[in-house]
Amino acid sequence: MERIVINKPEITKKYKKQKASSSLQRKEGLQGYLFIAPWIIGFLFFMAGPLLFSLYGSFTNFNITSKMDFIGLDNFKKMFTNDPIIWLSLKNTLYYVVISVPLTTAGAVVLAVLLNQGIKGMRVFRTIFYLPAVLSGVGVYLLWMQLLSPSSGLVNTLLGFVGIDGPAWLTDPSWTKNALIFMKMWSVGGGMLLYLASLQGVSQSLYEAAEIDGATSFRKFFHITLPMITPVIFFDLVTSTIGAFQIFQEAYVMSESGDGGPANSLVFFNLHMWNKAFEVFDMGYAMAMSWVLFIIILVLTVFNLKIAPRWVHYEGEDRK
Amino acid sequence: MKTVRKTLVSLLILAISFSLILAGCSSKESGGSKSSGTKDGEKVVIDFWTFWGSETRRPIIEKIIDDFNKSQDKIEVKHTYLPWGDVWTKNLASIAAGNPADLIINDINAVGHRAQNNQNTNLAKYIEQDPEVKDRFYPELYNASLYEGDPYALPFNTDTRLMFWNKDMFEEAGLDPNTPPKTWAELEEMGKKLDVKKGDKYERIGYLPNQGIGADVWMINADGKGYWDFDAKKAIINDESNVEALTWMKNYYDYYGDKTINSFKAEFGEQTADPFVAGKLAITTDNANFFTKIRDYGDGMNFGVAPLPAMEEGNGNSSWGGGFVAEIPKGAKHPDEAWEFLKYLTDVQAQEYWAVKNFDIVANKEAAEKAAGSAEFSEEGKMVYSEATENMKQTLLTPTPIEAPDYINLIQPEIESVLLGKKSPKEGLDAAQKAVEELVKSNKK
Amino acid sequence: MSAVVQTKENYFKSANFKKKTGQAIVLIVLILGSLLILSPIWWMIATSLKDMKEIMTYPPTFIPKEWHWENYLITLQKGPFLQYTLNTLFITVFVVIGNVVANSFIAYGFAKIHFKGRNVLFACVLATMMIPGFVTLVPQYVIYAKLGWLNTYLPLILPAFFGSAFNIFLLRQFFLTIPNELIEAAKIDGANHLYIWWKIFIPLAKPAIATVAIFSFNGAWNDFLGPLLYINDESLYTLQLGLQIFKGQNDTQWNFLMAGSLMVLLPVITLFFFFQRYFIEGMNLTAGSKG
């Protein structure tokens, strides 16, 4: 409700400013929507439909090709009371997430710092470490199956050189997940890229100032480098966690006939979902599973987002 | 501003519903998608999907296709290679979208399961027109392609498990190289005689029961029945003979130590060196076309081949086989033409050609028997192939039970636990039985 | 600085020595690490140079007995790999362009423009990352089928122009580290956001953009599932699909598979090697930054 104010200059000025700033805000807002429009369009056209479909599908007995009858919460009931494998699959997945994510994140950071030195030949080293991340496809998994052979594989042979008796990586149920984590560590160079780029943004003057104060490399790392790259660490942690929860391809290829063996040690949540979808053709159930996983990941990510301000430091600061 | 908002909201709803409708449409609609079966003049082009892209298989199937194309001018078959395993994911998606291939090679043991889910086409009306087609095949294979009495696919090729032994090693160990073990007991005994130990490491092992086959095959061998009773339509995982079979296998693990056996198995991953070929195993049980490995990498090994030993004398030497069928996916645009090619594919000429060139056991009886005497095989090849065709009489298949399609996922881990020593055979099989019964119950709903 | 007599004690205490030792240690660690990282690659190379007979012998050899260099030529002849390479290149180039342009555009909006519902929408973006791919696989396939896009490269290329959650998130994080003073200054000079995005942020965020470019190049070049599902004509296949012919049910041709895999990764790694400077070029922020 506008109030007609007569001849009060300060108030008029303030009112004019408010009006000006709110129309500016609106203009700002419009530009914002314009910028994110491509994503919105893409989402609506390519993702929204399938997502809603799969949400609805999780309440049906959809089998991809012939039926889709509404069955209410049956899928979810079955999941929580009648599926012996699902809890194991969650456990396996959690194990993988909890161990691989911190390891690979820390590894990538350390690697990036090491490769950021101004020493000659860094280009070659960076390329070498990045190489595994570029190798992709089933060929790599098959390669690793050979490398992880208990007596004649490369891994155990190398371990043997330093006197360690390597385990039966892919046939001993207590070591299979570690084998996959080991494999993931090999391609830690992929994540390193991210940190390399972000290290460039850390202003040299900070280091110089610290050096004048007599800081050692360690202190420089922990008190300058790390805090300045926390935005990227945050990104890496969130995306790695999301990715790790969805591990599937490795287990599918590397366990005998894709069943997550031996002794279901490699049955991850997604692998179980895959079997339900494409072996049993119970796609409705698989869709239900995917939404449960979504909720789990969502909760974790929100948690991450909430505690982020405590340790993530943005130089640029959020624009008000 | 309000109108802008309104328009935006309605656009939103429009876009989402557009997306939803497209996504939800099943193959019930007559698709407007680019179909490959365009009438090329008078010829109908049909799509044939296989996973035979390797240089051994591909030329063979393409020659068969070529012969068919040349033999008539109404149908042209177009072959597309898709990677093993992934081809069936794509098949599924394309059936859902209403534009599948016209003919596809698929697994024989899940035909009924796919039929139940409306993924393949009922061939009954075609068989009615050409009833002699169904008599071409080994009965076990044809039966596996049935669902509720109607055929939904035609068998193409198969395999069967046989026993191979290294004759020279037999002689070395003082055994008659021409007398293979005939019972489980003999197998165990001879196997142990063939062990060569150096210190506490095995240089060579006589026989290991999980090399090339698994517990399920031994259970079938024991009494002709595996995990599932198809007549009674129920799980029989923990019946007596199964427990006995698993116990027998476990004895090997106890004798050799599971570390030895497991690392032995892991050493020789499925696709690189084979222990029998490498001289580390004296007896092995494997597919009939394992012979090609002996032929190519065995350095002229002197070997013999025989049916699987019987549990006890008189129990029979049942073996297990799998195989592939050719089926017409549901919703294919040219099922009639696909049937014509399907007939050709499973007829004597094409089948014999495939059998001889690939050393593969084919589903067409006449073709297989002809191939067994083929001049293109070596003497040993002929020996193995004839043994295999003989063995078809006692080869059983294990179609996926519709009541519990993924029952294997509940059984296999239990068996592995048993062999790792974590449970007794009876405990493991009882647990598996219970789990599968639960699964059947929950699937009934 | 006063002249310091370089005595022996001085030398060991000097910063220069500390620096040099530090570098030497780093070098040693890197060399050891490289050897470890390279050993599986060596295994691939060794396998690619063997003949099948040697591959099938036990125990496996780490150095090929015979070096069959011709395996590489043979591999190339086993299929129309030149065609596959061109196909893959075509797709990849467009995907990279799309990814770089679209995602930096969208990420700028999320990072530096304040609009209503921004946080909620960004949360939605993140949420799309959390959904396992293959439940939307079949419905998406059906959509593309109905649109008539099957057997074309459209399903593989077009989505790149509409942004992807991972890249949006990544670039947003980078953009957030760029001080707002730059934007304020530009606005005073009369620039709108479009200008700021194009002329200021993109050049400043070169390392991040290069990262997105390399990630998406890698992703498109090695994409397997997309081409598998959406392409029907073998002449349109990509490299990863083409390599599969060496993988058999039980007759995998290891040497050609490894040779092919190594050749497929060459373009990506070469690109990376030569474009490294974009990762390393510092983001030249305004002088007088916080210190």
Side-chain angles (χ1 to χ4, degrees):
Chain A
M1 246 335 231
E2 291 179 7
R3 293 262 233 92
I4 302 168
V5 178
I6 311 165
N7 272 353
K8 287 271 168 112
E10 319 83 54
I11 302 178
T12 325
K13 211 152 95 196
K14 191 167 164 209
Y15 175 68
K16 273 210 181 116
K17 207 165 172 208
Q18 263 183 354
K19 193 156 182 231
S21 78
S22 84
S23 93
L24 211 68
Q25 264 185 341
R26 229 181 289 143
K27 199 162 157 232
E28 187 80 347
L30 203 63
Q31 286 198 53
Y33 286 121
L34 271 168
F35 267 86
I36 66 168
W39 182 77
I40 298 195
I41 298 175
F43 178 76
L44 288 180
F45 274 87
F46 299 120
M47 282 235 89
L51 282 180
L52 289 171
F53 181 79
S54 100
L55 184 59
Y56 175 68
S58 60
F59 295 103
T60 68
N61 60 2
F62 183 51
N63 75 342
I64 309 176
T65 45
S66 69
K67 58 181 176 183
M68 194 165 181
D69 316 310
F70 187 75
I71 58 171
L73 290 171
D74 275 0
N75 282 334
F76 296 96
K77 266 194 250 166
K78 191 156 100 169
M79 219 187 291
F80 289 106
T81 59
N82 210 356
D83 187 342
I85 302 185
I86 203 165
W87 297 109
L88 179 62
S89 75
L90 260 176
K91 216 177 81 176
N92 285 337
T93 311
L94 271 170
Y95 179 91
Y96 183 78
V97 172
V98 164
I99 302 213
S100 73
V101 172
L103 271 181
T104 48
T105 308
V109 173
V110 169
L111 198 59
V113 169
L114 283 177
L115 291 172
N116 200 27
Q117 313 290 317
I119 311 177
K120 261 191 134 81
M122 270 305 144
R123 286 224 297 197
V124 176
F125 281 121
R126 286 191 206 115
T127 312
I128 292 179
F129 279 95
Y130 187 64
L131 209 50
V134 179
L135 270 177
S136 147
V138 180
V140 183
Y141 302 132
L142 295 177
L143 169 75
W144 272 96
M145 285 169 82
Q146 290 187 32
L147 295 174
L148 291 167
S149 256
S151 343
S152 62
L154 192 62
V155 174
N156 281 0
T157 312
L158 289 178
L159 283 175
F161 287 158
V162 289
I164 305 178
D165 193 19
W169 291 98
L170 291 173
T171 48
D172 184 346
S174 42
W175 281 96
T176 51
K177 289 187 277 288
N178 296 334
L180 292 193
I181 295 177
F182 188 76
M183 225 172 79
K184 192 99 212 296
M185 291 299 295
W186 179 63
S187 55
V188 74
M192 160 219 35
L193 210 58
L194 220 50
Y195 293 109
L196 256 185
S198 76
L199 283 175
Q200 308 318 309
V202 184
S203 164
Q204 266 307 103
S205 53
L206 289 173
Y207 290 116
E208 285 159 14
E211 251 169 55
I212 294 175
D213 288 344
T216 64
S217 308
F218 276 115
R219 291 198 69 192
K220 276 194 270 180
F221 177 72
F222 281 105
H223 292 274
I224 301 179
T225 317
L226 266 190
M228 292 300 280
I229 61 172
T230 43
V232 178
I233 299 185
F234 173 66
F235 167 81
D236 194 22
L237 272 177
V238 170
T239 51
S240 296
T241 310
I242 296 179
F245 262 105
Q246 303 192 28
I247 178 172
F248 161 70
Q249 186 77 352
E250 296 88 326
Y252 182 64
V253 178
M254 295 173 78
S255 63
E256 255 182 86
S257 48
D259 68 352
N264 278 350
S265 56
L266 286 181
V267 174
F268 295 111
F269 199 81
N270 265 22
L271 184 60
H272 187 49
M273 208 193 307
W274 173 274
N275 283 335
K276 286 293 179 185
F278 292 105
E279 252 183 53
V280 185
F281 308 128
D282 196 352
M283 189 55 129
Y285 186 74
M287 286 173 169
M289 278 180 74
S290 75
W291 285 102
V292 168
L293 184 68
F294 171 76
I295 306 249
I296 296 177
I297 300 181
L298 184 66
V299 166
L300 257 169
T301 308
V302 167
F303 174 72
N304 264 332
L305 282 167
K306 286 268 182 245
I307 63 169
R310 289 206 208 160
W311 60 280
V312 182
H313 168 78
Y314 293 113
E315 264 305 286
E317 287 307 333
D318 201 3
R319 277 186 80 226
K320 293 292 176 269
Chain B
M1 199 52 190
K2 266 220 182 104
T3 41
V4 176
R5 242 175 118 218
K6 239 188 172 169
T7 349
L8 277 173
V9 171
S10 33
L11 272 176
L12 207 116
I13 298 182
L14 207 68
I16 296 188
S17 20
F18 164 77
S19 183
L20 195 60
I21 290 173
L22 284 187
C25 280
S26 69
S27 52
K28 295 205 193 103
E29 289 195 3
S30 51
S33 45
K34 292 198 175 75
S35 100
S36 58
T38 48
K39 291 235 177 224
D40 179 23
E42 281 190 9
K43 266 197 187 177
V44 176
V45 181
I46 60 173
D47 264 330
F48 179 37
W49 290 1
T50 78
F51 48 86
W52 294 319
S54 70
E55 63 173 356
T56 39
R57 309 267 179 177
R58 184 162 202 159
I60 319 289
I61 191 66
E62 298 208 324
K63 170 130 193 332
I64 295 179
I65 293 174
D66 206 37
D67 286 344
F68 177 76
N69 286 342
K70 290 206 178 91
S71 73
Q72 43 76 47
D73 55 5
K74 292 219 179 66
I75 309 171
E76 187 176 323
V77 176
K78 179 165 163 260
H79 173 228
T80 306
Y81 155 74
L82 286 154
W84 161 265
D86 305 298
V87 55
W88 298 311
T89 313
K90 183 163 181 171
N91 185 36
L92 216 49
S94 62
I95 295 177
N99 65 341
D102 296 291
L103 195 68
I104 191 172
I105 301 291
N106 213 325
D107 172 65
I108 194 172
N109 276 319
V111 177
H113 185 45
R114 289 194 296 277
Q116 187 205 29
N117 284 289
N118 239 345
Q119 293 175 19
N120 42 21
T121 312
N122 193 331
L123 302 175
K125 68 170 184 196
Y126 296 116
I127 293 277
E128 247 182 70
Q129 294 166 8
D130 299 295
E132 77 286 358
V133 171
K134 63 177 185 302
D135 300 320
R136 292 177 181 172
F137 308 108
Y138 288 103
E140 182 76 15
L141 299 178
Y142 185 72
N143 288 341
S145 321
L146 300 176
Y147 174 68
E148 290 182 351
D150 286 338
Y152 279 80
L154 289 185
F156 181 77
N157 62 354
T158 181
D159 49 50
T160 178
R161 301 295 184 278
L162 295 167
M163 181 176 61
F164 297 82
W165 75 95
N166 189 321
K167 286 188 174 173
D168 295 329
M169 290 183 182
F170 264 53
E171 261 196 80
E172 257 180 55
L175 298 162
D176 179 5
N178 294 316
T179 312
K182 293 208 175 50
T183 64
W184 290 12
E186 281 179 20
L187 178 59
E188 211 178 324
E189 202 190 303
M190 292 184 179
K192 289 187 183 156
K193 284 211 184 104
L194 290 157
D195 288 340
V196 170
K197 223 175 168 181
K198 239 195 199 159
D200 60 343
K201 259 199 103 177
Y202 281 93
E203 280 276 309
R204 174 180 87 204
I205 298 187
Y207 179 70
L208 286 177
N210 66 341
Q211 193 66 42
I213 64 180
D216 51 342
V217 178
W218 287 115
M219 292 183 188
I220 293 180
N221 175 282
D223 67 346
K225 293 207 202 119
Y227 300 134
W228 190 266
D229 187 329
F230 287 94
D231 302 310
K233 294 212 173 80
K234 63 186 180 83
I236 44 169
I237 303 168
N238 58 352
D239 71 6
E240 237 186 82
S241 70
N242 285 356
V243 176
E244 262 190 75
L246 192 55
T247 313
W248 178 72
M249 276 186 79
K250 181 76 173 50
N251 289 341
Y252 275 90
Y253 279 74
D254 294 334
Y255 179 78
Y256 291 101
D258 57 71
K259 191 153 182 269
T260 312
I261 297 192
N262 280 330
S263 60
F264 204 79
K265 187 153 198 219
E267 260 323 279
F268 300 94
E270 283 177 37
Q271 298 220 33
T272 47
D274 178 274
F276 181 75
V277 173
K280 294 274 165 194
L281 202 60
I283 307 176
T284 190
T285 41
D286 211 324
N287 253 339
N289 52 14
F290 174 71
F291 161 71
T292 54
K293 277 211 175 135
I294 303 180
R295 175 192 67 192
D296 296 333
Y297 308 114
D299 272 330
M301 183 196 294
N302 200 2
F303 72 98
V305 61
L308 297 181
M311 183 162 142
E312 273 162 17
E313 226 175 294
N315 265 35
N317 313 66
S318 308
S319 181
W320 178 79
F324 293 100
V325 297
E327 64 185 22
I328 305 178
K330 191 87 178 187
K333 300 271 180 331
H334 308 276
D336 299 338
E337 289 81 358
W339 169 254
E340 287 303 314
F341 180 56
L342 186 50
K343 268 198 297 183
Y344 182 84
L345 202 58
T346 51
D347 206 352
V348 183
Q349 189 189 359
Q351 291 263 293
E352 193 190 338
Y353 186 70
W354 178 269
V356 171
K357 292 291 178 188
N358 272 320
F359 200 87
D360 206 5
I361 317 294
V362 288
N364 186 310
K365 263 191 305 199
E366 194 185 329
E369 278 155 22
K370 272 178 136 173
S374 164
E376 285 191 50
F377 288 162
S378 64
E379 278 311 304
E380 294 180 324
K382 279 194 239 182
M383 168 179 77
V384 176
Y385 204 94
S386 333
E387 195 69 50
T389 49
E390 264 303 298
N391 213 39
M392 287 307 293
K393 296 198 187 90
Q394 47 201 9
T395 302
L396 300 163
L397 268 62
T398 47
T400 315
I402 299 173
E403 296 82 355
D406 56 343
Y407 71 141
I408 294 288
N409 290 344
L410 294 169
I411 306 175
Q412 193 58 25
E414 295 292 347
I415 296 195
E416 282 158 5
S417 290
V418 169
L419 294 176
L420 283 168
K422 300 206 176 122
K423 292 185 188 179
S424 80
K426 181 119 188 20
E427 280 170 8
L429 291 179
D430 281 341
Q433 174 80 10
K434 189 156 170 281
V436 174
E437 281 173 357
E438 286 289 322
L439 183 63
V440 173
K441 249 197 280 175
S442 76
N443 279 345
K444 274 213 171 77
K445 288 195 230 146
Chain C
M1 256 176 57
S2 52
V4 178
V5 176
Q6 187 86 128
T7 62
K8 240 194 199 165
E9 303 93 58
N10 277 9
Y11 178 69
F12 280 113
K13 286 206 196 121
S14 77
N16 201 20
F17 178 71
K18 281 207 189 108
K19 189 166 169 217
K20 284 259 151 55
T21 358
Q23 285 189 345
I25 297 179
V26 168
L27 211 58
I28 295 177
V29 169
L30 284 180
I31 293 181
L32 280 176
S34 304
L35 288 175
L36 282 176
I37 297 283
L38 284 178
S39 36
I41 313 270
W42 169 251
W43 182 256
M44 283 181 83
I45 300 179
T47 308
S48 72
L49 293 171
K50 296 181 187 170
D51 62 4
M52 276 309 286
K53 224 164 173 216
E54 195 181 339
I55 293 178
M56 298 295 269
T57 55
Y58 181 82
T61 51
F62 288 112
I63 304 181
K65 290 206 190 91
E66 298 163 11
W67 293 52
H68 292 268
W69 295 100
E70 72 273 12
N71 280 353
Y72 283 86
L73 276 177
I74 301 179
T75 307
L76 286 174
Q77 289 163 2
K78 292 278 183 198
F81 284 108
L82 184 61
Q83 179 69 45
Y84 293 159
T85 311
L86 291 173
N87 294 342
T88 318
L89 203 58
F90 181 85
I91 300 174
T92 308
V93 165
F94 279 105
V95 168
V96 171
I97 295 178
N99 264 318
V100 166
V101 173
N103 287 308
S104 60
F105 191 73
I106 299 170
Y108 179 80
F110 275 117
K112 293 301 184 186
I113 306 181
H114 203 69
F115 53 91
K116 220 168 130 173
R118 178 177 74 170
N119 287 336
V120 173
L121 281 170
F122 185 67
C124 286
V125 172
L126 284 190
T128 59
M129 268 199 286
M130 307 180 204
I131 296 155
F134 55 78
V135 282
T136 46
L137 194 142
V138 174
Q140 265 182 349
Y141 182 87
V142 175
I143 292 186
Y144 289 128
K146 299 297 178 189
L147 283 172
W149 289 6
L150 288 184
N151 208 28
T152 69
Y153 290 144
L154 283 169
L156 302 172
I157 296 182
L158 222 49
F161 286 86
F162 292 95
S164 72
F166 180 83
N167 291 322
I168 296 174
F169 189 12
L170 195 160
L171 286 170
R172 172 204 186 246
Q173 296 302 97
F174 272 89
F175 284 167
L176 281 174
T177 64
I178 298 178
N180 293 333
E181 287 81 24
L182 287 168
I183 302 183
E184 306 299 341
K187 283 206 145 188
I188 291 174
D189 288 343
N192 66 4
H193 279 299
L194 196 64
Y195 182 86
I196 299 175
W197 165 70
W198 181 252
K199 289 279 177 161
I200 301 181
F201 268 68
I202 295 215
L204 273 183
K206 268 212 204 89
I209 303 241
T211 311
V212 168
I214 252 272
F215 277 163
S216 60
F217 190 97
N218 207 2
W221 188 260
N222 286 326
D223 185 17
F224 174 73
L225 197 60
L228 169 83
L229 280 180
Y230 299 120
I231 303 179
N232 291 331
D233 262 332
E234 279 192 62
S235 59
L236 294 175
Y237 274 7
T238 59
L239 282 169
Q240 282 292 342
L241 267 186
L243 272 184
Q244 297 289 314
I245 60 171
F246 298 120
K247 191 172 91 73
Q249 198 188 337
N250 45 20
D251 54 351
T252 302
Q253 289 170 290
W254 291 101
N255 41 7
F256 301 140
L257 182 62
M258 292 295 137
S261 303
L262 284 168
M263 288 193 279
V264 167
L265 78 76
L266 271 180
V268 191
I269 204 67
T270 319
L271 221 80
F272 175 78
F273 184 76
F274 286 110
F275 283 83
Q276 275 187 48
R277 58 193 184 96
Y278 289 110
F279 298 103
I280 308 312
E281 234 171 58
M283 281 203 278
N284 190 10
L285 304 178
T286 52
S289 53
K290 307 183 168 73

